[in-house]
Amino acid sequence: MTERIRDFLRRRREDGPCLVVDLEVVRDNYFKFARALPDTRVFYAVKANPEPQLLKLLADLGSSFDTASVVEIELALDAGATSDRISFGNTIKKERDVARALELGVRLFAVDCEDEVEKIARAKAATGAEDVQVFCRILCDGAGAEWPLSRKFGCEPELAIEVLEHAHRVGLEAYGVSFHVGSQQGNTEAWDQALGSAAMIFHTLAEKGIHLSMVNLGGGFPTRYLKDIPAVEAYGQSIFEALSRHFGNRIPATIIEPGRGMVGNAGVIEAEVVLVSKKSRAEDEIRWVYLDIGKFGGLAETMDESIRYPIRTDRDADATTPCVLAGPTCDSADVLYEKAPYPLPVSLSIGDKVLIEGTGAYTTTYSAVAFNGFPPLKSYVI
Amino acid sequence: MTERIRDFLRRRREDGPCLVVDLEVVRDNYFKFARALPDTRVFYAVKANPEPQLLKLLADLGSSFDTASVVEIELALDAGATSDRISFGNTIKKERDVARALELGVRLFAVDCEDEVEKIARAKAATGAEDVQVFCRILCDGAGAEWPLSRKFGCEPELAIEVLEHAHRVGLEAYGVSFHVGSQQGNTEAWDQALGSAAMIFHTLAEKGIHLSMVNLGGGFPTRYLKDIPAVEAYGQSIFEALSRHFGNRIPATIIEPGRGMVGNAGVIEAEVVLVSKKSRAEDEIRWVYLDIGKFGGLAETMDESIRYPIRTDRDADATTPCVLAGPTCDSADVLYEKAPYPLPVSLSIGDKVLIEGTGAYTTTYSAVAFNGFPPLKSYVI
């Protein structure tokens, strides 16, 4: 929470929940990444928050952009990024979207299997594009991350060697390796194992005359929710040490893709208490607190209670009691915290405002178009 | 899947997934409910699918509407429903939304605690509305339902007595009791226990001179996914028997709120295979199939793999193999079926179309505004 956000909310008069993002915090975050990893290019993960003003700020600061779709590529271009500062980082792309990206000037693509390489090769031929680079994503176990990882993206390192060889064979530049250590990664050492795999891939391919030159370190940099997190400097130091350990004095070019770490702590959602109730008169009956925002209004990352946001009220000096926290829709799955109830002031009342901090990333775009007739989350960038 | 939907899709040329809803199926479903429960008023749950043409059809057929918000009330009115055919069925309402509903002529409100009664009483006084009816929702264990139920809505029956007494005391009509047996309820007997509780509440309040007159039987009527479901007639029969058992020859007025049961089987989503891949060369490595629709593009009910949709392809005569099925976004949580892999044709290939059946309910409005830059699910009503 910043003074600027507080001022903005004090003057706000409309009904309904809203997110306010303070660009000064984003600017600070950008410089922290740039300083902590001075030899690494920053590709902001647009999906975390694609607000045009935010993208423009980052483009002006010199950031590059990791995009998931043609729409996100267009947003990055509109914000002033040149196409050489854009990566099409989604491993799941329609061939016509690859062609469109090539037409827009993008030359850097993620893959994790030979069929995806084939699409890019065909689209390259169809569009006449040159110097197209691909990096292959490898699986990473994600231990230490708070947002569920799956095996959805990437392949085993052994297969990545074949995929990159294939890319080389069909006339693409086998550019490097990427991985993702898992979102909201609290362990600064989490990059080490995957960097070991990356070095093995570099080495094996070099013996075949294919020289990779880039490691994409992905995202995973956390934002502060309830628990303290390591400073960005600690991540930078640990990553640099792991790079040195595995690559010796031939450290490759590196890029990072912070999303949450770049904008998470820059945003605050203001919401309203719609109802406080109990289900029976029993002494030990838990209190239910219902807000005007829930899982389908922007707080999708409370799924499985993965992300636990800090919640502030004007009554935080009062005694608290554990509450089930739920959203306003007629959907029984629209409950934010129940397995681990959330301590909230006993005095919290209908009509009170609550501030949900650390919500600058992965909120607005997750919100449903009109579930139960509720409009998507409003967003202000200041 | 109907011939009309097949024809529509054959002529379709745009890119991207879409839902097509056949109004003739909705019309059939409406008449099935009306015939199976002839003395019961049908309140279509607008949240299941609020497409204007669909609401208009149902309004023309004589349906009433269960709404979750002022926006849904306005949709029902726009579709031609008079305000006496609208219930504000959300137990979590802002007082200003209650007032707005009263101004729009709505007189029927759900509550599950005294504070919600207070809001309605105050809004009634503020707007000068008369004859305002409330029904109190009671908890129901939801055994037999496929979509997770929680204790989010409703209160214990003992507390419902106090809530309705309070409503009576503050000048509202204590009109009845509601409950919900859980979505996609496969057990036709599931209404029995809650009807027993409802009868107890009727009886207890009658002794205090408060005469309830309505039981809202809620929704929960299933649509056919992969497993067969009982016919609507079986539900009607079982509910009628339970009503007779608990209320004798003084059966109250009843209403039902079908949503999924009304539109689920009327809709089919057409999607496209974006990628088929494996994570390693291991013999037993599972195949991953990625579609251009996922959890954030309308298939939110695959959360925890709750709802398992029938998926048809043009290759269904070929041998199948278990696949992990995932969506197109750069989000590791965007996986539809993984714990229980989905059998799909071995020959299924990139670019193939797939048809996801039973998707007329709870798809379009769940879809995210722009997650990863992907547009919300398109919808056509034919």
Side-chain angles (χ1 to χ4, degrees):
Chain A
M1 174 53 100
T2 66
E3 205 47 56
R4 298 178 72 226
I5 293 178
R6 215 183 302 273
D7 281 350
F8 179 89
L9 289 173
R10 209 174 284 134
R11 288 192 304 271
R12 180 171 180 258
R13 287 290 166 268
E14 311 101 311
D15 189 23
C18 77
L19 168 69
V20 188
V21 171
D22 185 340
L23 289 182
E24 290 188 1
V25 180
V26 178
R27 182 192 309 265
D28 283 353
N29 289 338
Y30 180 81
F31 287 124
K32 275 182 192 151
F33 279 115
R35 270 197 305 266
L37 294 129
D39 299 318
T40 297
R41 284 177 73 189
V42 175
F43 281 66
Y44 169 63
V46 175
K47 61 181 180 288
N49 189 328
E51 276 293 332
Q53 286 170 270
L54 195 159
L55 299 184
K56 176 156 192 328
L57 169 74
L58 289 168
D60 290 348
L61 292 174
S63 184
S64 295
F65 296 90
D66 166 47
T67 62
S69 64
V70 171
V71 168
E72 287 194 354
I73 291 169
E74 290 168 339
L75 286 171
L77 291 169
D78 290 348
T82 47
S83 58
D84 60 321
R85 286 160 61 191
I86 296 174
S87 162
F88 198 163
N90 194 340
T91 52
I92 310 152
K93 300 173 289 297
K94 291 182 179 175
E95 189 171 322
R96 50 193 179 277
D97 288 342
V98 174
R100 181 79 187 118
L102 288 169
E103 284 162 5
L104 290 169
V106 175
R107 292 294 179 269
L108 183 56
F109 295 85
V111 297
D112 67 1
C113 65
E114 291 189 7
D115 276 349
E116 198 71 15
V117 169
E118 287 291 326
K119 288 181 199 169
I120 297 170
R122 281 192 302 267
K124 173 176 181 282
T127 58
E130 295 190 357
D131 303 324
V132 178
Q133 301 175 314
V134 300
F135 55 92
C136 186
R137 181 157 168 177
I138 57 174
L139 287 163
C140 196
D141 73 1
E146 285 189 20
W147 180 241
L149 252 194
S150 70
R151 287 167 62 87
K152 181 174 178 188
F153 309 104
C155 62
E156 293 291 346
E158 289 68 27
L159 187 54
I161 293 168
E162 297 181 32
V163 170
L164 288 165
E165 267 191 283
H166 189 70
H168 179 76
R169 194 157 48 230
V170 297
L172 304 175
E173 181 185 345
Y175 184 50
V177 172
S178 77
F179 56 85
H180 197 293
V181 296
S183 198
Q184 188 67 9
Q185 177 55 260
N187 175 12
T188 60
E189 309 290 326
W191 280 256
D192 182 69
Q193 193 190 335
L195 280 172
S197 301
M200 180 277 288
I201 296 168
F202 269 60
H203 184 72
T204 307
L205 284 172
E207 289 179 342
K208 301 177 184 222
I210 299 170
H211 297 281
L212 306 181
S213 49
M214 186 276 293
V215 174
N216 178 341
L217 303 159
F221 304 96
T223 197
R224 193 182 182 287
Y225 295 115
L226 287 168
K227 284 183 280 186
D228 279 332
I229 53 166
V232 175
E233 293 70 29
Y235 288 90
Q237 184 63 30
S238 172
I239 288 170
F240 178 75
E241 284 166 12
L243 278 166
S244 304
R245 190 153 51 241
H246 296 294
F247 288 90
N249 56 4
R250 303 184 64 172
I251 290 182
T254 50
I255 72 180
I256 54 170
E257 300 172 333
R260 191 187 305 278
M262 187 74 86
V263 297
N265 68 335
V268 174
I269 286 174
E270 183 180 67
E272 182 180 329
V273 176
V274 182
L275 187 63
V276 179
S277 69
K278 289 192 173 189
K279 301 297 175 183
S280 81
R281 292 274 185 234
E283 272 296 312
D284 59 348
E285 183 70 43
I286 198 161
R287 178 187 292 242
W288 281 68
V289 173
Y290 301 88
L291 302 178
D292 62 358
I293 186 170
K295 210 173 240 171
F296 303 107
L299 303 180
E301 291 204 315
T302 57
M303 199 191 286
D304 300 325
E305 310 195 9
S306 302
I307 298 287
R308 204 161 168 87
Y309 295 107
I311 298 176
R312 312 281 173 223
T313 77
D314 284 343
R315 304 179 191 269
D316 288 346
D318 299 353
T320 65
T321 184
C323 299
V324 177
L325 196 66
T329 66
C330 284
D331 191 312
S332 51
D334 184 15
V335 175
L336 306 175
Y337 304 115
E338 183 174 16
K339 281 176 282 181
Y342 204 103
L344 289 169
V346 177
S347 53
L348 194 68
S349 306
I350 293 170
D352 282 358
K353 298 286 187 194
V354 303
L355 298 172
I356 309 172
E357 296 185 347
T359 44
Y362 299 114
T363 50
T364 47
T365 55
Y366 265 123
S367 73
V369 279
F371 193 53
N372 279 220
F374 292 110
L377 181 58
K378 285 192 212 84
S379 165
Y380 302 94
V381 175
I382 60 172
Chain B
M1 173 53 99
T2 67
E3 206 45 59
R4 298 178 72 227
I5 293 177
R6 215 182 302 274
D7 282 349
F8 179 88
L9 289 173
R10 210 175 284 135
R11 289 193 303 272
R12 181 171 180 257
R13 287 290 165 270
E14 310 101 311
D15 188 24
C18 78
L19 168 70
V20 189
V21 172
D22 186 339
L23 288 182
E24 289 187 3
V25 180
V26 178
R27 182 193 309 267
D28 283 354
N29 289 339
Y30 180 81
F31 287 124
K32 274 182 193 151
F33 280 115
R35 271 198 305 269
L37 294 129
D39 299 318
T40 296
R41 285 177 73 190
V42 176
F43 282 66
Y44 169 63
V46 175
K47 61 181 177 288
N49 189 329
E51 277 292 331
Q53 287 170 269
L54 195 161
L55 299 184
K56 176 157 192 326
L57 169 75
L58 288 168
D60 289 348
L61 292 174
S63 184
S64 295
F65 296 90
D66 166 47
T67 61
S69 63
V70 171
V71 168
E72 287 195 353
I73 291 169
E74 290 167 339
L75 286 171
L77 291 169
D78 290 348
T82 47
S83 58
D84 60 320
R85 286 160 62 191
I86 297 173
S87 163
F88 199 162
N90 194 339
T91 51
I92 310 151
K93 301 175 289 298
K94 291 182 179 174
E95 189 170 323
R96 50 193 179 277
D97 289 341
V98 174
R100 180 79 187 119
L102 288 169
E103 284 162 3
L104 290 168
V106 175
R107 292 293 179 268
L108 183 56
F109 295 85
V111 297
D112 67 0
C113 65
E114 290 189 8
D115 277 349
E116 198 72 14
V117 168
E118 287 291 326
K119 289 181 197 168
I120 297 170
R122 282 192 301 266
K124 174 176 182 280
T127 58
E130 294 191 357
D131 303 325
V132 177
Q133 300 174 316
V134 300
F135 54 92
C136 187
R137 180 155 168 178
I138 57 174
L139 287 162
C140 196
D141 71 3
E146 285 189 20
W147 180 240
L149 252 194
S150 70
R151 287 167 62 87
K152 181 174 178 188
F153 309 104
C155 62
E156 294 291 346
E158 290 66 30
L159 187 55
I161 293 167
E162 296 181 33
V163 170
L164 287 164
E165 266 190 283
H166 190 71
H168 178 75
R169 194 157 50 231
V170 297
L172 304 174
E173 181 185 344
Y175 184 49
V177 172
S178 77
F179 55 86
H180 198 292
V181 296
S183 199
Q184 187 68 7
Q185 177 54 261
N187 176 12
T188 60
E189 309 290 326
W191 282 257
D192 182 70
Q193 192 189 337
L195 280 171
S197 300
M200 180 277 288
I201 296 168
F202 269 61
H203 184 73
T204 307
L205 284 171
E207 288 180 342
K208 300 178 183 221
I210 299 170
H211 298 281
L212 305 181
S213 48
M214 187 276 292
V215 174
N216 178 341
L217 302 159
F221 305 96
T223 197
R224 193 181 182 289
Y225 296 114
L226 287 168
K227 285 183 280 185
D228 279 331
I229 53 165
V232 174
E233 293 70 29
Y235 287 90
Q237 185 63 31
S238 172
I239 288 170
F240 179 74
E241 285 166 13
L243 278 165
S244 303
R245 190 154 50 243
H246 296 293
F247 287 90
N249 57 4
R250 304 185 64 174
I251 290 182
T254 50
I255 72 182
I256 55 171
E257 299 171 335
R260 190 186 306 278
M262 187 74 86
V263 298
N265 68 337
V268 174
I269 286 174
E270 183 179 68
E272 181 181 330
V273 176
V274 183
L275 186 63
V276 179
S277 69
K278 289 191 173 190
K279 302 296 174 184
S280 80
R281 292 271 184 238
E283 272 296 311
D284 58 349
E285 183 70 45
I286 197 161
R287 178 186 292 242
W288 281 69
V289 173
Y290 301 88
L291 302 179
D292 62 356
I293 186 170
K295 210 172 240 172
F296 304 107
L299 303 179
E301 290 204 317
T302 58
M303 199 190 287
D304 299 325
E305 309 195 10
S306 303
I307 298 287
R308 204 163 169 87
Y309 295 106
I311 299 176
R312 311 283 173 221
T313 78
D314 285 342
R315 305 181 191 266
D316 287 347
D318 299 353
T320 65
T321 184
C323 300
V324 177
L325 195 66
T329 65
C330 285
D331 191 311
S332 52
D334 184 15
V335 174
L336 306 175
Y337 304 116
E338 182 174 17
K339 279 178 283 181
Y342 203 103
L344 289 169
V346 177
S347 53
L348 194 68
S349 306
I350 293 171
D352 283 358
K353 297 287 187 191
V354 303
L355 297 172
I356 309 172
E357 296 185 346
T359 44
Y362 298 113
T363 50
T364 45
T365 55
Y366 265 122
S367 72
V369 279
F371 193 53
N372 279 218
F374 293 110
L377 181 59
K378 287 192 211 82
S379 165
Y380 302 94
V381 175
I382 60 173

